PDB file of all heavy atoms in Angstrom:
ATOM      1  N   LEU W1425      57.381 178.340  76.593  1.00 93.00           N
ATOM      2  CA  LEU W1425      57.350 177.707  77.907  1.00 93.00           C
ATOM      3  C   LEU W1425      55.905 177.513  78.357  1.00 93.00           C
ATOM      4  O   LEU W1425      55.125 178.467  78.378  1.00 93.00           O
ATOM      5  CB  LEU W1425      58.101 178.573  78.920  1.00 93.00           C
ATOM      6  CG  LEU W1425      58.151 178.081  80.362  1.00 93.00           C
ATOM      7  CD1 LEU W1425      58.981 176.815  80.476  1.00 93.00           C
ATOM      8  CD2 LEU W1425      58.721 179.180  81.274  1.00 93.00           C
ATOM      9  N   GLY W1426      55.555 176.277  78.711  1.00 94.00           N
ATOM     10  CA  GLY W1426      54.248 175.987  79.268  1.00 94.00           C
ATOM     11  C   GLY W1426      54.320 175.985  80.784  1.00 94.00           C
ATOM     12  O   GLY W1426      55.153 175.282  81.372  1.00 94.00           O
ATOM     13  N   CYS W1427      53.454 176.755  81.435  1.00 93.00           N
ATOM     14  CA  CYS W1427      53.481 176.906  82.885  1.00 93.00           C
ATOM     15  C   CYS W1427      52.131 176.543  83.490  1.00 93.00           C
ATOM     16  O   CYS W1427      51.210 176.139  82.797  1.00 93.00           O
ATOM     17  CB  CYS W1427      53.857 178.341  83.257  1.00 93.00           C
ATOM     18  SG  CYS W1427      55.433 178.894  82.580  1.00 93.00           S
ATOM     19  N   GLU W1428      52.051 176.722  84.783  1.00 89.00           N
ATOM     20  CA  GLU W1428      50.824 176.404  85.511  1.00 89.00           C
ATOM     21  C   GLU W1428      49.676 177.316  85.101  1.00 89.00           C
ATOM     22  O   GLU W1428      48.542 176.873  84.958  1.00 89.00           O
ATOM     23  CB  GLU W1428      51.085 176.548  87.011  1.00 89.00           C
ATOM     24  CG  GLU W1428      50.057 175.869  87.882  1.00 89.00           C
ATOM     25  CD  GLU W1428      50.269 174.371  87.941  1.00 89.00           C
ATOM     26  OE1 GLU W1428      51.388 173.908  87.683  1.00 89.00           O
ATOM     27  OE2 GLU W1428      49.289 173.673  88.248  1.00 89.00           O
ATOM     28  N   TRP W1429      49.972 178.603  84.888  1.00 88.00           N
ATOM     29  CA  TRP W1429      48.921 179.588  84.635  1.00 88.00           C
ATOM     30  C   TRP W1429      49.109 180.357  83.339  1.00 88.00           C
ATOM     31  O   TRP W1429      48.312 181.241  83.032  1.00 88.00           O
ATOM     32  CB  TRP W1429      48.857 180.595  85.788  1.00 88.00           C
ATOM     33  CG  TRP W1429      48.695 179.938  87.122  1.00 88.00           C
ATOM     34  CD1 TRP W1429      47.863 178.891  87.422  1.00 88.00           C
ATOM     35  CD2 TRP W1429      49.372 180.256  88.330  1.00 88.00           C
ATOM     36  NE1 TRP W1429      47.988 178.538  88.734  1.00 88.00           N
ATOM     37  CE2 TRP W1429      48.898 179.363  89.331  1.00 88.00           C
ATOM     38  CE3 TRP W1429      50.307 181.218  88.692  1.00 88.00           C
ATOM     39  CZ2 TRP W1429      49.356 179.405  90.642  1.00 88.00           C
ATOM     40  CZ3 TRP W1429      50.762 181.264  90.004  1.00 88.00           C
ATOM     41  CH2 TRP W1429      50.283 180.361  90.957  1.00 88.00           C
ATOM     42  N   SER W1430      50.139 180.062  82.562  1.00 93.00           N
ATOM     43  CA  SER W1430      50.400 180.857  81.367  1.00 93.00           C
ATOM     44  C   SER W1430      51.220 180.071  80.351  1.00 93.00           C
ATOM     45  O   SER W1430      51.871 179.073  80.674  1.00 93.00           O
ATOM     46  CB  SER W1430      51.141 182.153  81.735  1.00 93.00           C
ATOM     47  OG  SER W1430      52.375 181.848  82.368  1.00 93.00           O
ATOM     48  N   LEU W1431      51.174 180.568  79.116  1.00 96.00           N
ATOM     49  CA  LEU W1431      52.005 180.095  78.020  1.00 96.00           C
ATOM     50  C   LEU W1431      52.853 181.283  77.595  1.00 96.00           C
ATOM     51  O   LEU W1431      52.323 182.358  77.289  1.00 96.00           O
ATOM     52  CB  LEU W1431      51.131 179.608  76.863  1.00 96.00           C
ATOM     53  CG  LEU W1431      51.829 178.989  75.659  1.00 96.00           C
ATOM     54  CD1 LEU W1431      52.459 177.651  76.030  1.00 96.00           C
ATOM     55  CD2 LEU W1431      50.842 178.803  74.511  1.00 96.00           C
ATOM     56  N   ARG W1432      54.188 181.120  77.572  1.00 95.00           N
ATOM     57  CA  ARG W1432      55.082 182.255  77.370  1.00 95.00           C
ATOM     58  C   ARG W1432      56.109 181.950  76.288  1.00 95.00           C
ATOM     59  O   ARG W1432      56.528 180.802  76.128  1.00 95.00           O
ATOM     60  CB  ARG W1432      55.834 182.587  78.672  1.00 95.00           C
ATOM     61  CG  ARG W1432      54.942 182.787  79.893  1.00 95.00           C
ATOM     62  CD  ARG W1432      55.767 182.750  81.152  1.00 95.00           C
ATOM     63  NE  ARG W1432      54.953 182.862  82.366  1.00 95.00           N
ATOM     64  CZ  ARG W1432      55.086 183.837  83.258  1.00 95.00           C
ATOM     65  NH1 ARG W1432      55.994 184.772  83.080  1.00 95.00           N
ATOM     66  NH2 ARG W1432      54.333 183.875  84.326  1.00 95.00           N
ATOM     67  N   ALA W1433      56.541 182.995  75.578  1.00 95.00           N
ATOM     68  CA  ALA W1433      57.599 182.873  74.572  1.00 95.00           C
ATOM     69  C   ALA W1433      58.781 183.742  74.977  1.00 95.00           C
ATOM     70  O   ALA W1433      58.601 184.864  75.475  1.00 95.00           O
ATOM     71  CB  ALA W1433      57.087 183.280  73.204  1.00 95.00           C
ATOM     72  N   TYR W1434      60.008 183.213  74.738  1.00 92.00           N
ATOM     73  CA  TYR W1434      61.243 183.912  75.099  1.00 92.00           C
ATOM     74  C   TYR W1434      62.213 183.885  73.930  1.00 92.00           C
ATOM     75  O   TYR W1434      62.184 182.961  73.082  1.00 92.00           O
ATOM     76  CB  TYR W1434      61.914 183.237  76.299  1.00 92.00           C
ATOM     77  CG  TYR W1434      61.083 183.265  77.559  1.00 92.00           C
ATOM     78  CD1 TYR W1434      60.179 182.251  77.841  1.00 92.00           C
ATOM     79  CD2 TYR W1434      61.203 184.305  78.474  1.00 92.00           C
ATOM     80  CE1 TYR W1434      59.413 182.270  78.995  1.00 92.00           C
ATOM     81  CE2 TYR W1434      60.455 184.334  79.636  1.00 92.00           C
ATOM     82  CZ  TYR W1434      59.555 183.316  79.891  1.00 92.00           C
ATOM     83  OH  TYR W1434      58.803 183.345  81.032  1.00 92.00           O
ATOM     84  N   ASP W1435      63.096 184.896  73.881  1.00 90.00           N
ATOM     85  CA  ASP W1435      64.197 184.850  72.922  1.00 90.00           C
ATOM     86  C   ASP W1435      65.417 184.222  73.585  1.00 90.00           C
ATOM     87  O   ASP W1435      65.367 183.807  74.748  1.00 90.00           O
ATOM     88  CB  ASP W1435      64.502 186.243  72.362  1.00 90.00           C
ATOM     89  CG  ASP W1435      64.926 187.247  73.438  1.00 90.00           C
ATOM     90  OD1 ASP W1435      65.349 186.810  74.529  1.00 90.00           O
ATOM     91  OD2 ASP W1435      64.840 188.458  73.188  1.00 90.00           O
ATOM     92  N   ARG W1436      66.517 184.164  72.836  1.00 85.00           N
ATOM     93  CA  ARG W1436      67.715 183.487  73.353  1.00 85.00           C
ATOM     94  C   ARG W1436      68.253 184.146  74.627  1.00 85.00           C
ATOM     95  O   ARG W1436      68.842 183.480  75.471  1.00 85.00           O
ATOM     96  CB  ARG W1436      68.822 183.488  72.295  1.00 85.00           C
ATOM     97  CG  ARG W1436      68.586 182.530  71.140  1.00 85.00           C
ATOM     98  CD  ARG W1436      69.738 182.662  70.140  1.00 85.00           C
ATOM     99  NE  ARG W1436      69.572 181.781  69.008  1.00 85.00           N
ATOM    100  CZ  ARG W1436      70.020 180.533  68.959  1.00 85.00           C
ATOM    101  NH1 ARG W1436      70.649 180.040  70.015  1.00 85.00           N
ATOM    102  NH2 ARG W1436      69.849 179.791  67.887  1.00 85.00           N
ATOM    103  N   ALA W1437      68.033 185.431  74.752  1.00 84.00           N
ATOM    104  CA  ALA W1437      68.553 186.153  75.912  1.00 84.00           C
ATOM    105  C   ALA W1437      67.675 185.969  77.148  1.00 84.00           C
ATOM    106  O   ALA W1437      67.992 186.500  78.208  1.00 84.00           O
ATOM    107  CB  ALA W1437      68.672 187.632  75.589  1.00 84.00           C
TER     108      ALA W1437
END
Side-chain angles (χ1 to χ4, degrees):
L1425 179 67
C1427 303
E1428 197 78 22
W1429 306 317
S1430 59
L1431 184 68
R1432 307 165 183 240
Y1434 297 89
D1435 61 20
R1436 287 178 180 271

